[in-house]
Amino acid sequence: MGQLIITLGRQFGSGGHEIAEKLAQKLGIKMYDRNILDEIANEKNIANHEYDKFDEKPKMKLFTRHVRGHSNSMEEHIANMQFDFIKKQAEEGESFVLVGRCGEHILKDVDGVISIFVLGDKLIKAKRVMQIYCLDEVEAELKMARHDKNRKHYHNYHADSKWGHSTTYDICINSSRLGIDQTAEVLYDYIQKRIEKQNNQ
């Protein structure tokens, strides 16, 4: 198998992150998500918590200024550092699963990238969020709405495609239909068929 890159966008509560972990494990490749900040922090000898709070966050327009093409937005600065890291890993031929971070857009010129979006039913997502974060239903729905709003704004600001729209990705799948494990299996089978097709061309 040559280079394989999977990008995976997700609604909050859909289990997309867990599905990405399962795919990376089954494929025997690395997964990148927030750990990109660990890699960058280590390179720059800076504590990760200095970056973590700005991860996958839309910039605050009220406090953002641009001077000669440079922005004072930490959110934008962190995003661009992550994009540069992702591109570098791809250029070096590494295979990996990338969660979020506009992956399908940032790597659109890389051959063979497979882009996935995981969504879910509101009630099932809310139950998952309630269980994981010990919240009531109202709190869970508010948390879901807040995170998805941030992800949408972040993606649509940095990408030329729309977050969560079917035309943006190779495959969109509702994890509520089959559950986390079976959804990962379906996606793994899809990836294997894509690899077979590419090898036969």
Side-chain angles (χ1 to χ4, degrees):
M1 180 181 73
Q3 185 180 28
L4 175 64
I5 298 176
I6 311 298
T7 68
L8 191 146
R10 73 285 186 220
Q11 290 180 341
F12 192 80
S14 67
H17 191 276
E18 187 177 344
I19 289 168
E21 289 180 323
K22 291 179 181 298
L23 290 175
Q25 184 177 20
K26 288 174 71 66
L27 293 164
I29 58 179
K30 190 165 184 176
M31 186 184 83
Y32 287 120
D33 56 356
R34 299 176 79 92
N35 61 354
I36 293 175
L37 295 177
D38 294 331
E39 303 270 357
I40 295 172
N42 287 336
E43 287 179 2
K44 297 182 179 293
N45 197 27
I46 298 174
N48 184 26
H49 68 266
E50 295 294 329
Y51 290 157
D52 199 55
K53 59 187 175 183
F54 301 108
D55 183 41
E56 265 196 313
K57 297 290 193 304
K59 70 176 184 178
M60 299 176 66
K61 293 181 181 179
L62 183 63
F63 302 104
T64 300
R65 299 289 182 272
H66 285 84
V67 179
R68 296 176 184 173
H70 297 283
S71 171
N72 69 340
S73 166
M74 275 302 293
E75 293 86 357
E76 195 165 352
H77 183 54
I78 295 300
N80 286 327
M81 285 199 300
Q82 291 190 76
F83 298 156
D84 288 342
F85 176 89
I86 293 162
K87 290 175 183 176
K88 176 174 172 286
Q89 302 310 113
E91 288 170 0
E92 291 178 352
E94 182 179 357
S95 293
F96 55 87
V97 176
L98 173 65
V99 179
R101 290 149 188 85
C102 307
E104 83 295 332
H105 170 74
I106 299 303
L107 301 174
K108 64 183 178 181
D109 295 326
V110 178
D111 291 337
V113 172
I114 299 173
S115 59
I116 297 167
F117 189 84
V118 180
L119 60 148
D121 295 343
K122 184 177 180 180
L123 181 60
I124 294 177
K125 289 188 299 180
K127 286 181 179 178
R128 179 178 171 81
V129 172
M130 289 166 65
Q131 183 178 18
I132 293 173
Y133 297 97
C134 300
L135 302 175
D136 63 32
E137 187 173 354
V138 172
E139 291 171 330
E141 290 184 359
L142 287 172
K143 187 176 182 69
M144 287 160 49
R146 182 173 68 253
H147 279 273
D148 282 348
K149 180 181 179 181
N150 283 341
R151 287 174 180 175
K152 180 179 180 179
H153 287 177
Y154 169 91
H155 182 282
N156 292 353
Y157 175 78
H158 292 289
D160 57 9
S161 55
K162 299 299 182 183
W163 181 82
H165 285 213
S166 60
T167 55
T168 299
Y169 310 91
D170 293 322
I171 183 169
C172 297
I173 190 165
N174 187 328
S175 61
S176 301
R177 298 291 180 262
L178 297 174
I180 302 300
D181 290 340
Q182 288 299 310
T183 299
E185 288 292 336
V186 169
L187 290 172
Y188 178 75
D189 288 343
Y190 174 80
I191 292 165
Q192 291 300 315
K193 286 180 171 56
R194 286 284 300 273
I195 293 172
E196 289 173 13
K197 182 176 181 181
Q198 184 173 344
N199 289 340
N200 291 331
Q201 287 179 345

